Amino acid sequence: MAWLPGACRCKGVECVLSIMSKLKFTIAECKKTDGAFAAFVANLPQRFAAEGHLLHDQRNTIKAFNLNGQPVVVKRFRRLSLFQRIVYSFFRQNKAVRAFNNASQLQRRGVSTPSAFAFAEVWGGGLLQQVYYVSAANYWQPLQAGFDVGADHGFSNSLAVAFAGFVAGLHKAGIVHRDLNSTNVLWQEGEGGQYCFALIDINRITFYPQGQVPPPGVCFENLTLFTGNMALFKVVAQAYAVAMGGNVEQMVPAMLAQKQRHDAAWQRRKRILGKLKQLFR
Protein backbone atom coordinates (compact mmCIF):
# COMPACT_ATOMS: atom_id res chain seq x y z
CA MET A 1 0.00 0.00 0.00
CA ALA A 2 1.55 3.26 -1.10
CA TRP A 3 1.90 6.13 1.37
CA LEU A 4 -0.14 9.21 0.56
CA PRO A 5 -0.25 12.65 2.23
CA GLY A 6 -2.24 12.88 5.45
CA ALA A 7 -5.35 14.77 6.46
CA CYS A 8 -6.21 18.23 5.21
CA ARG A 9 -7.58 20.79 7.62
CA CYS A 10 -10.89 22.24 6.54
CA LYS A 11 -13.24 25.19 6.88
CA GLY A 12 -17.00 25.43 6.85
CA VAL A 13 -18.99 27.89 4.73
CA GLU A 14 -22.71 28.57 4.45
CA CYS A 15 -24.68 30.24 1.69
CA VAL A 16 -28.36 30.70 0.92
CA LEU A 17 -29.79 28.62 -1.94
CA SER A 18 -33.29 30.01 -1.60
CA ILE A 19 -35.61 31.40 1.04
CA MET A 20 -36.39 27.82 2.06
CA SER A 21 -32.97 26.17 1.86
CA LYS A 22 -29.29 26.69 2.60
CA LEU A 23 -26.10 25.09 1.34
CA LYS A 24 -23.45 24.38 3.94
CA PHE A 25 -20.09 23.16 2.73
CA THR A 26 -16.63 22.37 3.97
CA ILE A 27 -13.55 22.65 1.75
CA ALA A 28 -10.26 20.91 2.49
CA GLU A 29 -7.34 23.17 3.31
CA CYS A 30 -5.51 21.96 0.22
CA LYS A 31 -8.28 23.43 -1.99
CA LYS A 32 -9.52 26.49 -0.11
CA THR A 33 -7.24 28.94 -1.95
CA ASP A 34 -8.58 27.74 -5.31
CA GLY A 35 -11.20 30.36 -6.16
CA ALA A 36 -12.64 28.41 -9.08
CA PHE A 37 -13.08 25.34 -6.91
CA ALA A 38 -14.73 27.33 -4.10
CA ALA A 39 -17.17 28.86 -6.60
CA PHE A 40 -17.92 25.40 -7.96
CA VAL A 41 -18.75 24.03 -4.51
CA ALA A 42 -20.79 27.12 -3.60
CA ASN A 43 -23.02 26.35 -6.60
CA LEU A 44 -22.75 22.59 -6.43
CA PRO A 45 -26.47 21.61 -6.57
CA GLN A 46 -27.05 23.70 -9.70
CA ARG A 47 -23.77 22.70 -11.36
CA PHE A 48 -24.34 19.02 -10.58
CA ALA A 49 -27.84 19.07 -12.07
CA ALA A 50 -26.81 20.83 -15.29
CA GLU A 51 -23.21 19.76 -15.95
CA GLY A 52 -20.71 16.94 -15.60
CA HIS A 53 -20.12 13.58 -17.23
CA LEU A 54 -22.33 10.85 -15.75
CA LEU A 55 -20.33 7.90 -14.37
CA HIS A 56 -22.94 6.11 -12.27
CA ASP A 57 -26.66 6.54 -11.65
CA GLN A 58 -28.35 4.01 -9.40
CA ARG A 59 -28.99 4.59 -5.69
CA ASN A 60 -26.40 7.37 -5.77
CA THR A 61 -25.35 9.53 -8.70
CA ILE A 62 -21.69 10.13 -9.57
CA LYS A 63 -20.43 12.68 -12.09
CA ALA A 64 -17.00 13.76 -13.29
CA PHE A 65 -16.09 17.42 -13.79
CA ASN A 66 -13.09 19.21 -15.25
CA LEU A 67 -12.15 22.33 -13.30
CA ASN A 68 -9.41 24.25 -15.06
CA GLY A 69 -7.81 21.04 -16.25
CA GLN A 70 -8.17 19.14 -12.97
CA PRO A 71 -10.61 16.22 -12.93
CA VAL A 72 -12.83 15.96 -9.87
CA VAL A 73 -15.58 13.50 -9.03
CA VAL A 74 -18.81 14.43 -7.24
CA LYS A 75 -21.05 11.88 -5.56
CA ARG A 76 -24.61 12.94 -4.80
CA PHE A 77 -26.04 10.54 -2.28
CA ARG A 78 -29.63 9.51 -2.78
CA ARG A 79 -32.28 11.77 -1.30
CA LEU A 80 -32.87 11.13 2.38
CA SER A 81 -36.05 9.71 3.84
CA LEU A 82 -37.72 11.67 6.66
CA PHE A 83 -36.28 9.25 9.21
CA GLN A 84 -32.76 9.67 7.75
CA ARG A 85 -33.14 13.45 7.73
CA ILE A 86 -33.85 13.43 11.45
CA VAL A 87 -31.04 10.97 12.24
CA TYR A 88 -28.41 12.78 10.16
CA SER A 89 -29.54 16.21 11.31
CA PHE A 90 -29.26 15.52 15.03
CA PHE A 91 -27.73 12.17 15.92
CA ARG A 92 -25.21 10.89 13.37
CA GLN A 93 -22.72 12.15 10.81
CA ASN A 94 -24.04 11.85 7.28
CA LYS A 95 -22.34 9.72 4.62
CA ALA A 96 -20.57 12.63 2.91
CA VAL A 97 -18.98 13.81 6.17
CA ARG A 98 -17.91 10.27 7.01
CA ALA A 99 -16.36 9.79 3.56
CA PHE A 100 -14.53 13.13 3.88
CA ASN A 101 -13.07 12.19 7.28
CA ASN A 102 -12.36 8.57 6.34
CA ALA A 103 -10.31 9.59 3.31
CA SER A 104 -7.85 11.44 5.52
CA GLN A 105 -7.72 8.60 8.02
CA LEU A 106 -7.03 6.04 5.29
CA GLN A 107 -4.25 8.15 3.84
CA ARG A 108 -2.68 8.61 7.27
CA ARG A 109 -2.55 4.82 7.55
CA GLY A 110 -0.94 4.43 4.14
CA VAL A 111 -3.97 3.33 2.12
CA SER A 112 -4.63 4.79 -1.32
CA THR A 113 -7.99 6.49 -1.82
CA PRO A 114 -8.98 9.56 -3.89
CA SER A 115 -8.19 12.69 -1.88
CA ALA A 116 -11.18 14.36 -0.25
CA PHE A 117 -11.73 17.93 -1.49
CA ALA A 118 -15.09 18.94 -0.02
CA PHE A 119 -18.51 17.92 1.17
CA ALA A 120 -21.74 19.90 0.89
CA GLU A 121 -25.09 19.71 2.66
CA VAL A 122 -28.45 21.11 1.57
CA TRP A 123 -30.62 22.08 4.56
CA GLY A 124 -34.28 23.02 4.55
CA GLY A 125 -36.94 23.31 7.24
CA GLY A 126 -34.30 22.72 9.91
CA LEU A 127 -33.39 19.29 8.51
CA LEU A 128 -30.69 17.91 6.27
CA GLN A 129 -32.11 17.25 2.78
CA GLN A 130 -29.24 16.23 0.45
CA VAL A 131 -25.49 15.63 0.66
CA TYR A 132 -22.61 15.71 -1.83
CA TYR A 133 -19.03 14.47 -1.62
CA VAL A 134 -16.25 15.91 -3.82
CA SER A 135 -12.96 14.11 -4.34
CA ALA A 136 -10.05 13.68 -6.70
CA ALA A 137 -10.62 11.34 -9.62
CA ASN A 138 -9.25 7.81 -9.87
CA TYR A 139 -9.94 5.94 -13.10
CA TRP A 140 -8.29 2.65 -12.25
CA GLN A 141 -10.27 -0.51 -13.01
CA PRO A 142 -12.70 -1.95 -10.46
CA LEU A 143 -11.54 -5.27 -9.06
CA GLN A 144 -14.54 -6.96 -10.64
CA ALA A 145 -13.14 -6.31 -14.12
CA GLY A 146 -9.88 -8.05 -13.23
CA PHE A 147 -11.61 -11.04 -11.72
CA ASP A 148 -13.78 -11.56 -14.80
CA VAL A 149 -10.81 -12.43 -17.03
CA GLY A 150 -7.96 -14.91 -16.94
CA ALA A 151 -7.36 -18.56 -17.61
CA ASP A 152 -7.33 -19.83 -14.02
CA HIS A 153 -10.92 -20.74 -13.11
CA GLY A 154 -12.21 -17.64 -14.89
CA PHE A 155 -10.17 -15.16 -12.86
CA SER A 156 -6.64 -13.81 -12.58
CA ASN A 157 -4.84 -15.90 -9.97
CA SER A 158 -2.04 -13.36 -9.53
CA LEU A 159 -4.54 -10.54 -8.98
CA ALA A 160 -6.42 -12.67 -6.43
CA VAL A 161 -3.23 -13.30 -4.45
CA ALA A 162 -2.28 -9.60 -4.58
CA PHE A 163 -5.76 -8.60 -3.43
CA ALA A 164 -5.48 -10.99 -0.48
CA GLY A 165 -2.25 -9.28 0.53
CA PHE A 166 -3.94 -5.89 0.23
CA VAL A 167 -6.80 -6.92 2.54
CA ALA A 168 -4.34 -8.41 5.01
CA GLY A 169 -2.55 -5.05 5.00
CA LEU A 170 -5.83 -3.26 5.73
CA HIS A 171 -6.58 -5.53 8.66
CA LYS A 172 -3.06 -5.24 10.07
CA ALA A 173 -3.53 -1.45 9.94
CA GLY A 174 -6.80 -1.76 11.89
CA ILE A 175 -9.08 -1.00 8.92
CA VAL A 176 -12.34 -2.79 8.09
CA HIS A 177 -14.10 -1.53 4.95
CA ARG A 178 -17.70 -2.55 5.56
CA ASP A 179 -18.51 -2.50 1.84
CA LEU A 180 -15.53 -4.46 0.55
CA ASN A 181 -17.13 -5.65 -2.67
CA SER A 182 -15.34 -5.96 -6.01
CA THR A 183 -16.61 -2.59 -7.29
CA ASN A 184 -15.27 -0.62 -4.31
CA VAL A 185 -11.65 -1.72 -4.78
CA LEU A 186 -9.78 -0.23 -7.75
CA TRP A 187 -6.55 -1.61 -9.14
CA GLN A 188 -3.86 -1.14 -11.72
CA GLU A 189 -0.73 -3.05 -12.62
CA GLY A 190 2.39 -1.03 -11.99
CA GLU A 191 6.01 -1.41 -12.98
CA GLY A 192 7.45 -4.89 -12.58
CA GLY A 193 4.00 -6.45 -12.53
CA GLN A 194 3.19 -5.15 -9.07
CA TYR A 195 -0.48 -4.49 -8.38
CA CYS A 196 -1.66 -1.24 -6.78
CA PHE A 197 -5.03 -0.92 -5.04
CA ALA A 198 -7.26 1.95 -3.92
CA LEU A 199 -10.49 2.07 -1.91
CA ILE A 200 -13.61 4.00 -2.91
CA ASP A 201 -17.13 4.28 -1.45
CA ILE A 202 -15.52 4.82 1.92
CA ASN A 203 -18.34 6.14 4.11
CA ARG A 204 -18.70 2.76 5.89
CA ILE A 205 -15.34 2.00 7.50
CA THR A 206 -14.45 0.90 11.03
CA PHE A 207 -11.07 2.03 12.29
CA TYR A 208 -9.44 0.14 15.12
CA PRO A 209 -6.51 1.73 17.00
CA GLN A 210 -3.43 2.00 14.80
CA GLY A 211 -1.77 -1.40 14.53
CA GLN A 212 -4.55 -3.30 16.31
CA VAL A 213 -5.75 -6.21 14.17
CA PRO A 214 -9.55 -6.67 14.34
CA PRO A 215 -10.84 -9.94 15.84
CA PRO A 216 -10.57 -12.94 13.49
CA GLY A 217 -14.35 -13.25 13.13
CA VAL A 218 -14.57 -9.64 11.98
CA CYS A 219 -11.73 -10.12 9.50
CA PHE A 220 -13.16 -13.35 8.10
CA GLU A 221 -16.63 -11.87 7.68
CA ASN A 222 -15.13 -8.83 5.99
CA LEU A 223 -13.39 -11.07 3.47
CA THR A 224 -16.67 -12.77 2.47
CA LEU A 225 -18.04 -9.65 0.77
CA PHE A 226 -16.03 -9.36 -2.44
CA THR A 227 -17.25 -12.38 -4.44
CA GLY A 228 -19.75 -15.21 -4.74
CA ASN A 229 -17.24 -17.35 -6.66
CA MET A 230 -16.08 -20.02 -4.22
CA ALA A 231 -13.05 -21.06 -6.33
CA LEU A 232 -11.85 -17.44 -6.31
CA PHE A 233 -12.58 -17.11 -2.60
CA LYS A 234 -10.49 -20.21 -1.80
CA VAL A 235 -7.45 -18.73 -3.58
CA VAL A 236 -7.87 -15.42 -1.73
CA ALA A 237 -8.45 -17.14 1.63
CA GLN A 238 -5.28 -19.21 1.26
CA ALA A 239 -3.17 -16.19 0.28
CA TYR A 240 -4.76 -14.06 3.03
CA ALA A 241 -3.88 -16.61 5.71
CA VAL A 242 -0.28 -16.66 4.49
CA ALA A 243 -0.10 -12.85 4.38
CA MET A 244 -1.47 -12.59 7.93
CA GLY A 245 1.20 -15.00 9.15
CA GLY A 246 -1.37 -17.26 10.81
CA ASN A 247 -1.96 -20.96 10.95
CA VAL A 248 -3.06 -21.63 7.39
CA GLU A 249 -4.49 -25.09 8.16
CA GLN A 250 -6.79 -23.57 10.79
CA MET A 251 -7.59 -20.23 9.18
CA VAL A 252 -8.63 -21.39 5.71
CA PRO A 253 -11.33 -23.87 6.86
CA ALA A 254 -12.64 -21.22 9.30
CA MET A 255 -12.87 -18.68 6.46
CA LEU A 256 -14.58 -21.13 4.14
CA ALA A 257 -17.14 -21.98 6.84
CA GLN A 258 -17.75 -18.27 7.44
CA LYS A 259 -18.21 -17.73 3.70
CA GLN A 260 -20.74 -20.55 3.46
CA ARG A 261 -22.75 -19.15 6.38
CA HIS A 262 -22.63 -15.66 4.90
CA ASP A 263 -23.78 -16.80 1.45
CA ALA A 264 -26.56 -18.98 2.88
CA ALA A 265 -27.85 -16.04 4.92
CA TRP A 266 -27.69 -13.81 1.85
CA GLN A 267 -29.68 -16.33 -0.19
CA ARG A 268 -32.33 -16.50 2.56
CA ARG A 269 -32.65 -12.72 2.62
CA LYS A 270 -32.89 -12.66 -1.17
CA ARG A 271 -35.71 -15.24 -1.16
CA ILE A 272 -37.63 -13.36 1.55
CA LEU A 273 -37.28 -10.03 -0.27
CA GLY A 274 -38.41 -11.69 -3.51
CA LYS A 275 -41.56 -13.01 -1.82
CA LEU A 276 -42.29 -9.61 -0.27
CA LYS A 277 -41.95 -7.90 -3.64
CA GLN A 278 -44.44 -10.37 -5.14
CA LEU A 279 -46.93 -9.65 -2.33
CA PHE A 280 -46.82 -5.90 -2.94
CA ARG A 281 -46.97 -5.91 -6.74
Side-chain angles (χ1 to χ4, degrees), residues 86-219:
I86 295 170
V87 170
Y88 290 138
S89 296
F90 303 111
F91 303 108
R92 189 182 182 195
Q93 287 184 334
N94 65 67
K95 293 180 179 180
V97 174
R98 296 203 305 268
F100 184 88
N101 293 332
N102 287 348
S104 297
Q105 181 72 272
L106 286 171
Q107 291 180 343
R108 282 197 295 270
R109 297 194 185 197
V111 180
S112 179
T113 191
S115 295
F117 289 159
F119 65 87
E121 307 168 330
V122 178
W123 289 76
L127 295 176
L128 183 65
Q129 304 291 328
Q130 185 82 66
V131 295
Y132 300 80
Y133 174 60
V134 188
S135 72
N138 184 323
Y139 295 125
W140 294 359
Q141 297 182 76
L143 196 61
Q144 185 179 53
F147 283 156
D148 285 344
V149 297
D152 301 322
H153 307 292
F155 59 87
S156 167
N157 194 81
S158 61
L159 179 60
V161 171
F163 170 68
F166 172 70
V167 178
L170 291 178
H171 293 166
K172 287 178 179 179
I175 299 166
V176 177
H177 190 309
R178 296 291 182 181
D179 231 349
L180 194 69
N181 61 58
S182 59
T183 62
N184 290 337
V185 180
L186 306 180
W187 70 281
Q188 73 169 3
E189 188 171 355
E191 295 182 4
Q194 297 294 315
Y195 292 103
C196 303
F197 297 94
L199 294 179
I200 59 172
D201 203 0
I202 57 173
N203 58 279
R204 295 181 63 233
I205 293 182
T206 298
F207 291 99
Y208 288 77
Q210 182 80 47
Q212 177 181 323
V213 179
V218 173
C219 293

Side-chain angles (χ1 to χ4, degrees), residues 197-269:
F197 297 94
L199 294 179
I200 59 172
D201 203 0
I202 57 173
N203 58 279
R204 295 181 63 233
I205 293 182
T206 298
F207 291 99
Y208 288 77
Q210 182 80 47
Q212 177 181 323
V213 179
V218 173
C219 293
F220 296 169
E221 177 63 22
N222 189 223
L223 201 62
T224 65
L225 304 177
F226 77 95
T227 186
N229 182 334
M230 189 56 79
L232 170 59
F233 183 81
K234 287 179 180 178
V235 172
V236 172
Q238 179 82 20
Y240 173 85
V242 172
M244 292 296 288
N247 186 320
V248 176
E249 293 182 356
Q250 292 180 357
M251 288 178 67
V252 172
M255 284 187 280
L256 293 177
Q258 183 84 3
K259 175 64 173 171
Q260 290 168 347
R261 289 192 295 269
H262 172 90
D263 288 358
W266 183 83
Q267 289 293 343
R268 285 195 299 271
R269 289 195 300 270

Side-chain angles (χ1 to χ4, degrees), residues 63-97:
K63 286 187 172 184
F65 294 81
N66 191 302
L67 302 181
N68 294 332
Q70 180 179 25
V72 299
V73 171
V74 181
K75 181 175 186 177
R76 183 182 67 189
F77 290 89
R78 66 176 176 177
R79 195 158 186 84
L80 303 173
S81 66
L82 177 59
F83 175 75
Q84 290 172 322
R85 293 175 202 172
I86 295 170
V87 170
Y88 290 138
S89 296
F90 303 111
F91 303 108
R92 189 182 182 195
Q93 287 184 334
N94 65 67
K95 293 180 179 180
V97 174

